[in-house]
Amino acid sequence: MSDTTVEFSPAAAALAEELLPAALEIIARYPEGRSRSALLPLLHLVQTEEGHVSPNGVAFCAEVLGINKAQVGAVATFYTMYKRRPTGEYLVSVCTNTLCNVLGGQEVYDELSEHLGVGHDETTADGRITLEHAECLAACDYAPVVTVNYDFAVDQATPETAIGLVDQLRNGERPAPTRGARLCSLKDMQLQLAGFADIRDGAVADGPAGAPTLRGVTLAQEHGVAVADFNPDTPITKTKPSPREENRGRVATVVDKVKGAVSSVTPGHAGKTTRAGDVKDPQTRTAEQRNPDASTPDKTGTADEKKPVPSNPAEAAGTASNQPAGDGKPAGDTARTEEAK
Ligand code: FES
């Protein structure tokens, strides 16, 4: 974990005052030396205050993690759930991906856009609604789908039902979603995404799967298609079950066959098999294959490479204690590389 006594730059100080205890709680969830993995929830935490990730939010994340702003920016600009400009109280996402599209998702989006007078990633003048078209929202069984702040809000949407929803939201109402958790503000949702429980009643969806989700099972039953021994009420296991006793021999035979096929068929690898017990990091193995006798120094991650220049003492202190490893990644990965040698 980064030094908790770090003095924040003026850019990060205001957020640090509000968010430092929660940020440290998030960072403490990660093993020593792996704190930069906390960046994703930290960016959500920043959005609980700002509603988006501003340059000040980037500075705060960089300084609390001891990484540089370029590294934070690379992540914050990669994922669409990190917003780069102020976002409305409700983020309304309309799926226009394949299945939703053929069932009318584009019409829903177009009419909503016209009704609100905003386009993709734009916010209404009253600051209530940000509209976006989204890729698959993982609810194709209910296509076309509209979510509000990432909660399912309108299933099998039509332009009318979607417009009805946003009108209620703009009037200050909290309409009941078709299914799922009750709607909250985008900033409330960011707290959940940062990994903190929302303790309000109805904040977490529960209940059995709906009819569209179970349609495949129902059809199979209607047509007498069944899988022997299948019990639909079997609880989902959290750990990988060991092979059943009667299958142990069969599994071993299949593994042997695959090994044989790989060693005899793979072009250029005839007779070569992967050594059992080879625990080298794949990057180390690749480097050895490229440069077997290490005669040419590997320049990756050396001083020859241009590094981003820290813009304040806190960031400089962080990067100084977070030297790049041989693979060009910051220090969190050094231990892994060393272990693999
Ligand atoms: S295509 Fe829209 S939810 Fe999957």
Side-chain angles (χ1 to χ4, degrees), residues 85-132:
R85 50 187 178 187
T87 306
E89 190 177 353
Y90 299 103
L91 175 67
V92 175
S93 312
V94 182
C95 179
T96 52
N97 209 311
T98 311
L99 192 53
C100 287
N101 208 335
V102 297
L103 291 171
Q106 189 64 50
E107 286 75 34
V108 172
Y109 175 82
D110 290 342
E111 296 211 22
L112 212 45
S113 174
E114 195 175 330
H115 180 74
L116 293 170
V118 296
H120 171 68
D121 206 20
E122 291 178 354
T123 302
T124 53
D126 60 7
R128 289 270 193 198
I129 309 284
T130 297
L131 178 67
E132 68 174 10

Side-chain angles (χ1 to χ4, degrees), residues 227-239:
V227 177
D229 299 334
F230 174 70
N231 176 3
D233 298 322
T234 305
I236 296 170
T237 52
K238 295 216 166 58
T239 52

Side-chain angles (χ1 to χ4, degrees), residues 8-308:
F8 288 94
S9 67
L15 281 172
E17 196 165 316
E18 292 297 323
L19 300 177
L20 188 57
L24 295 178
E25 194 178 326
I26 290 171
I27 293 169
R29 297 173 191 155
Y30 294 84
E32 192 75 30
R34 294 281 192 269
S35 62
R36 72 186 181 130
S37 297
L39 178 55
L40 296 180
L42 280 178
L43 287 166
H44 284 298
L45 185 69
V46 163
Q47 293 193 127
T48 65
E49 280 295 312
E50 302 189 303
H52 71 296
V53 180
S54 69
N56 291 350
V58 170
F60 170 70
C61 291
E63 291 170 29
V64 78
L65 289 176
I67 58 180
N68 59 53
K69 286 191 280 195
Q71 290 170 314
V72 177
V75 173
T77 55
F78 183 82
Y79 295 104
T80 56
M81 288 172 81
Y82 302 123
K83 302 299 176 191
R84 298 165 73 177
R85 50 187 178 187
T87 306
E89 190 177 353
Y90 299 103
L91 175 67
V92 175
S93 312
V94 182
C95 179
T96 52
N97 209 311
T98 311
L99 192 53
C100 287
N101 208 335
V102 297
L103 291 171
Q106 189 64 50
E107 286 75 34
V108 172
Y109 175 82
D110 290 342
E111 296 211 22
L112 212 45
S113 174
E114 195 175 330
H115 180 74
L116 293 170
V118 296
H120 171 68
D121 206 20
E122 291 178 354
T123 302
T124 53
D126 60 7
R128 289 270 193 198
I129 309 284
T130 297
L131 178 67
E132 68 174 10
H133 66 77
E135 300 305 323
C136 182
L137 292 169
C140 312
D141 40 357
Y142 285 93
V145 173
V146 176
T147 63
V148 172
N149 298 338
Y150 309 115
D151 269 329
F152 296 118
V154 187
D155 292 330
Q156 297 166 335
T158 62
E160 293 71 33
T161 55
I163 287 171
L165 172 87
V166 296
D167 283 350
Q168 284 181 286
L169 292 172
R170 294 184 87 182
N171 288 336
E173 299 168 39
R174 292 265 173 115
T178 321
R179 68 188 156 120
R182 77 180 204 196
L183 302 183
C184 60
S185 74
L186 185 58
K187 288 183 178 177
D188 288 339
M189 178 53 76
Q190 297 300 335
L191 200 62
Q192 292 185 49
L193 294 170
F196 294 97
D198 186 334
I199 55 174
R200 292 167 308 134
D201 269 356
V204 179
D206 204 355
T213 306
L214 297 173
R215 184 69 184 130
V217 176
T218 312
L219 273 174
Q221 284 169 345
E222 285 170 9
H223 292 273
V225 178
V227 177
D229 299 334
F230 174 70
N231 176 3
D233 298 322
T234 305
I236 296 170
T237 52
K238 295 216 166 58
T239 52
K240 196 176 168 189
S242 54
R244 283 193 306 206
E245 202 50 52
E246 67 269 25
N247 284 338
R248 282 184 195 280
R250 241 182 287 168
V251 171
T253 308
V254 170
V255 170
D256 284 347
K257 274 188 187 167
V258 171
K259 274 187 183 167
V262 170
S263 61
S264 61
V265 172
T266 308
H269 288 79
K272 291 184 187 172
T273 52
T274 305
R275 275 173 291 136
D278 180 359
V279 294
K280 278 184 182 163
D281 186 303
Q283 287 170 335
T284 306
R285 203 179 301 125
T286 304
E288 285 179 357
Q289 283 166 1
R290 281 194 190 137
N291 190 9
D293 58 0
S295 55
T296 312
D298 182 2
K299 296 199 171 190
T300 310
T302 65
D304 292 352
E305 285 203 338
K306 274 195 175 168
K307 293 175 186 163

